[in-house]
Amino acid sequence: MEFDVPLSVYDITVPVMVHGLNVMDDYLHHAQELERVMRIEPGTILGERLAPDMLTFGEQFSVSCNKIEAHMAKLMQHDAPAPHSTPMMYPALKGRLFDTRGFLQNVQPDAIAGAQSHTYELRPPIVRGWFGGDDYIRHLVLPDFFFHISIAHAILRHLGANIGKRDYLGHLSQQSGGDYS
């Protein structure tokens, strides 16, 4: 049985990204707790990575926030802001997440209404060319966002953090889709 439920660009980006940033905030807490339990130097996990050519755990957060702002600017047909350089320290990364959540919470639905109908130019390093809004949102904006959350999750798991799918899904409520128990 199919249901035709209209979702706006706002509905599938802003609340989803705010929720994901909350998950990332929890991951910073888990990293600090893991450092405490393992009795390792505070901040050590921020420099960990899955492979030599991948971003560090800490960079997953700063890059994700920069990309959120760049993608949302593109969807609003604004120039992308200059990327922020965030110090690789827990308070700075938590502050960056907080600021990015605030930015998203100030995006008005009408500011990105119809963004799926526009065409967007994409430049390397990921891809080059012109893409329709639907493809840009479904095949780059959202997967790119979730990629950084999943890599942060994988780094923590690899290091022995006691986290799982429930942590990745975040704190669900009746409003966000039901009580996940």
Side-chain angles (χ1 to χ4, degrees), residues 5-20 72 75 104 107-116 137 141-142 145-146 175-176:
V5 179
L7 290 173
S8 69
V9 172
Y10 179 91
D11 293 334
I12 63 169
T13 57
V14 173
V16 170
M17 290 178 173
V18 168
H19 183 80
M72 293 308 294
L75 293 174
L104 285 170
V107 171
Q108 297 301 309
D110 60 340
I112 55 176
Q116 75 279 7
I137 295 164
V141 173
L142 293 172
F145 175 67
F146 288 116
Q175 187 174 7
S176 67

Side-chain angles (χ1 to χ4, degrees), residues 23-102:
V23 169
M24 292 184 89
D25 195 32
D26 288 344
Y27 285 171
L28 289 174
H29 172 75
H30 284 290
Q32 289 178 295
E33 181 63 17
L34 186 60
E35 288 172 346
R36 187 187 66 70
V37 168
M38 294 176 66
R39 295 187 175 126
I40 59 176
E41 184 73 27
T44 300
I45 290 176
L46 295 175
E48 293 290 329
R49 61 182 85 223
L50 287 179
D53 65 340
M54 294 181 78
L55 296 175
T56 66
F57 179 77
E59 290 168 330
Q60 298 300 328
F61 296 84
S62 61
V63 167
S64 182
C65 290
N66 286 339
K67 287 183 174 185
I68 286 170
E69 291 172 351
H71 287 313
M72 293 308 294
K74 193 176 283 282
L75 293 174
M76 291 187 287
Q77 298 189 332
H78 297 161
D79 291 332
H84 289 66
S85 177
T86 307
M88 291 297 116
M89 301 181 315
Y90 288 108
L93 292 168
K94 285 183 170 282
R96 183 71 174 107
L97 291 174
F98 180 83
D99 291 346
T100 305
R101 272 193 307 263

